[in-house]
CSV table of all heavy atoms in Angstrom, one decimal:
chain,number,residue,atom,x,y,z
K,132,ASP,N,-7.7,82.4,90.0
K,132,ASP,CA,-7.0,82.7,88.7
K,132,ASP,C,-7.4,84.1,88.3
K,132,ASP,O,-6.5,84.9,87.9
K,132,ASP,CB,-7.5,81.7,87.6
K,132,ASP,CG,-6.9,80.3,87.8
K,132,ASP,OD1,-5.9,80.2,88.5
K,132,ASP,OD2,-7.4,79.4,87.1
K,133,ALA,N,-8.7,84.4,88.4
K,133,ALA,CA,-9.1,85.8,88.0
K,133,ALA,C,-8.4,86.8,88.9
K,133,ALA,O,-7.9,87.9,88.4
K,133,ALA,CB,-10.6,85.9,88.2
K,134,HIS,N,-8.4,86.5,90.2
K,134,HIS,CA,-7.8,87.5,91.1
K,134,HIS,C,-6.3,87.8,90.8
K,134,HIS,O,-5.9,88.9,90.8
K,134,HIS,CB,-7.9,87.0,92.6
K,134,HIS,CG,-7.5,88.0,93.6
K,134,HIS,ND1,-8.1,89.2,93.8
K,134,HIS,CD2,-6.4,88.0,94.4
K,134,HIS,CE1,-7.5,89.9,94.7
K,134,HIS,NE2,-6.5,89.2,95.1
K,135,ARG,N,-5.6,86.7,90.5
K,135,ARG,CA,-4.2,87.0,90.1
K,135,ARG,C,-4.1,88.0,89.0
K,135,ARG,O,-3.3,89.0,89.1
K,135,ARG,CB,-3.6,85.7,89.6
K,135,ARG,CG,-3.0,84.8,90.7
K,135,ARG,CD,-1.9,83.9,90.2
K,135,ARG,NE,-1.8,82.7,91.1
K,135,ARG,CZ,-2.4,81.6,90.8
K,135,ARG,NH1,-3.2,81.5,89.7
K,135,ARG,NH2,-2.3,80.5,91.6
K,136,LEU,N,-4.9,87.8,88.0
K,136,LEU,CA,-4.8,88.7,86.8
K,136,LEU,C,-5.1,90.2,87.2
K,136,LEU,O,-4.4,91.1,86.9
K,136,LEU,CB,-5.7,88.3,85.7
K,136,LEU,CG,-5.9,89.3,84.6
K,136,LEU,CD1,-4.5,89.6,83.9
K,136,LEU,CD2,-6.9,88.8,83.5
K,137,PHE,N,-6.2,90.3,87.9
K,137,PHE,CA,-6.7,91.7,88.2
K,137,PHE,C,-5.8,92.4,89.2
K,137,PHE,O,-5.6,93.6,89.1
K,137,PHE,CB,-8.2,91.7,88.6
K,137,PHE,CG,-9.1,91.4,87.4
K,137,PHE,CD1,-9.7,90.2,87.3
K,137,PHE,CD2,-9.3,92.4,86.4
K,137,PHE,CE1,-10.5,89.9,86.2
K,137,PHE,CE2,-10.1,92.1,85.3
K,137,PHE,CZ,-10.7,90.9,85.2
K,138,ALA,N,-5.3,91.7,90.2
K,138,ALA,CA,-4.4,92.3,91.1
K,138,ALA,C,-3.1,92.7,90.3
K,138,ALA,O,-2.6,93.8,90.6
K,138,ALA,CB,-4.0,91.3,92.2
K,139,TRP,N,-2.7,91.9,89.4
K,139,TRP,CA,-1.5,92.3,88.6
K,139,TRP,C,-1.8,93.5,87.8
K,139,TRP,O,-1.0,94.5,87.8
K,139,TRP,CB,-1.2,91.1,87.7
K,139,TRP,CG,0.1,91.3,86.9
K,139,TRP,CD1,1.3,91.0,87.2
K,139,TRP,CD2,0.1,91.8,85.5
K,139,TRP,NE1,2.2,91.3,86.2
K,139,TRP,CE2,1.5,91.8,85.1
K,139,TRP,CE3,-0.8,92.3,84.6
K,139,TRP,CZ2,1.9,92.3,83.9
K,139,TRP,CZ3,-0.4,92.7,83.4
K,139,TRP,CH2,0.9,92.7,83.0
K,140,LEU,N,-3.0,93.5,87.2
K,140,LEU,CA,-3.3,94.7,86.4
K,140,LEU,C,-3.4,96.0,87.3
K,140,LEU,O,-2.9,97.0,86.9
K,140,LEU,CB,-4.7,94.5,85.8
K,140,LEU,CG,-4.8,93.8,84.4
K,140,LEU,CD1,-6.2,93.7,83.9
K,140,LEU,CD2,-4.0,94.6,83.4
K,141,GLU,N,-4.0,95.8,88.4
K,141,GLU,CA,-4.0,97.0,89.3
K,141,GLU,C,-2.7,97.6,89.6
K,141,GLU,O,-2.5,98.8,89.7
K,141,GLU,CB,-4.8,96.6,90.6
K,141,GLU,CG,-5.4,97.7,91.3
K,141,GLU,CD,-6.3,97.3,92.4
K,141,GLU,OE1,-6.0,96.2,93.0
K,141,GLU,OE2,-7.2,98.0,92.8
K,142,ARG,N,-1.7,96.7,89.7
K,142,ARG,CA,-0.3,97.1,90.0
K,142,ARG,C,0.3,97.8,88.8
K,142,ARG,O,1.1,98.7,88.9
K,142,ARG,CB,0.5,95.9,90.5
K,142,ARG,CG,0.8,95.9,92.0
K,142,ARG,CD,1.7,94.8,92.4
K,142,ARG,NE,1.0,93.5,92.3
K,142,ARG,CZ,1.3,92.5,91.5
K,142,ARG,NH1,2.3,92.6,90.6
K,142,ARG,NH2,0.6,91.4,91.5
K,143,GLU,N,0.0,97.2,87.6
K,143,GLU,CA,0.7,97.6,86.4
K,143,GLU,C,0.1,98.9,85.7
K,143,GLU,O,0.8,99.6,84.9
K,143,GLU,CB,0.6,96.5,85.4
K,143,GLU,CG,1.4,95.3,85.8
K,143,GLU,CD,2.9,95.6,85.9
K,143,GLU,OE1,3.4,96.3,85.0
K,143,GLU,OE2,3.6,95.0,86.9
K,144,ILE,N,-1.1,99.2,86.0
K,144,ILE,CA,-1.8,100.4,85.3
K,144,ILE,C,-1.1,101.7,85.6
K,144,ILE,O,-0.7,102.5,84.7
K,144,ILE,CB,-3.3,100.5,85.7
K,144,ILE,CG1,-4.0,99.2,85.2
K,144,ILE,CG2,-3.9,101.7,85.0
K,144,ILE,CD1,-4.0,98.9,83.8
K,145,PRO,N,-0.8,102.0,86.9
K,145,PRO,CA,-0.2,103.3,87.2
K,145,PRO,C,1.1,103.5,86.5
K,145,PRO,O,1.3,104.5,85.9
K,145,PRO,CB,-0.1,103.3,88.7
K,145,PRO,CG,-1.1,102.3,89.2
K,145,PRO,CD,-1.2,101.3,88.1
K,146,PRO,N,2.0,102.5,86.6
K,146,PRO,CA,3.3,102.8,85.9
K,146,PRO,C,3.1,102.9,84.4
K,146,PRO,O,3.9,103.6,83.7
K,146,PRO,CB,4.1,101.5,86.2
K,146,PRO,CG,3.2,100.6,86.9
K,146,PRO,CD,2.1,101.3,87.4
K,147,LEU,N,2.1,102.3,83.8
K,147,LEU,CA,1.8,102.4,82.4
K,147,LEU,C,1.6,103.9,82.1
K,147,LEU,O,2.2,104.5,81.2
K,147,LEU,CB,0.6,101.6,82.0
K,147,LEU,CG,0.2,101.6,80.5
K,147,LEU,CD1,1.2,100.8,79.7
K,147,LEU,CD2,-1.2,101.1,80.3
K,148,PHE,N,0.7,104.5,82.8
K,148,PHE,CA,0.4,105.9,82.6
K,148,PHE,C,1.6,106.8,82.9
K,148,PHE,O,1.8,107.9,82.3
K,148,PHE,CB,-0.8,106.3,83.3
K,148,PHE,CG,-2.1,106.0,82.5
K,148,PHE,CD1,-2.8,104.9,82.8
K,148,PHE,CD2,-2.5,106.9,81.5
K,148,PHE,CE1,-3.9,104.6,82.1
K,148,PHE,CE2,-3.6,106.5,80.8
K,148,PHE,CZ,-4.4,105.4,81.1
K,149,GLN,N,2.4,106.4,83.9
K,149,GLN,CA,3.6,107.2,84.2
K,149,GLN,C,4.5,107.2,82.9
K,149,GLN,O,5.0,108.2,82.6
K,149,GLN,CB,4.3,106.5,85.3
K,149,GLN,CG,5.0,107.5,86.2
K,149,GLN,CD,5.4,106.8,87.5
K,149,GLN,OE1,4.6,106.0,88.1
K,149,GLN,NE2,6.6,107.0,87.9
Side-chain angles (χ1 to χ4, degrees):
Chain K
D132 287 345
H134 186 65
R135 274 207 206 91
L136 170 61
F137 287 105
W139 184 86
L140 272 177
E141 204 171 26
R142 256 182 288 116
E143 294 294 322
I144 301 298
L147 182 74
F148 274 97
Q149 213 168 317

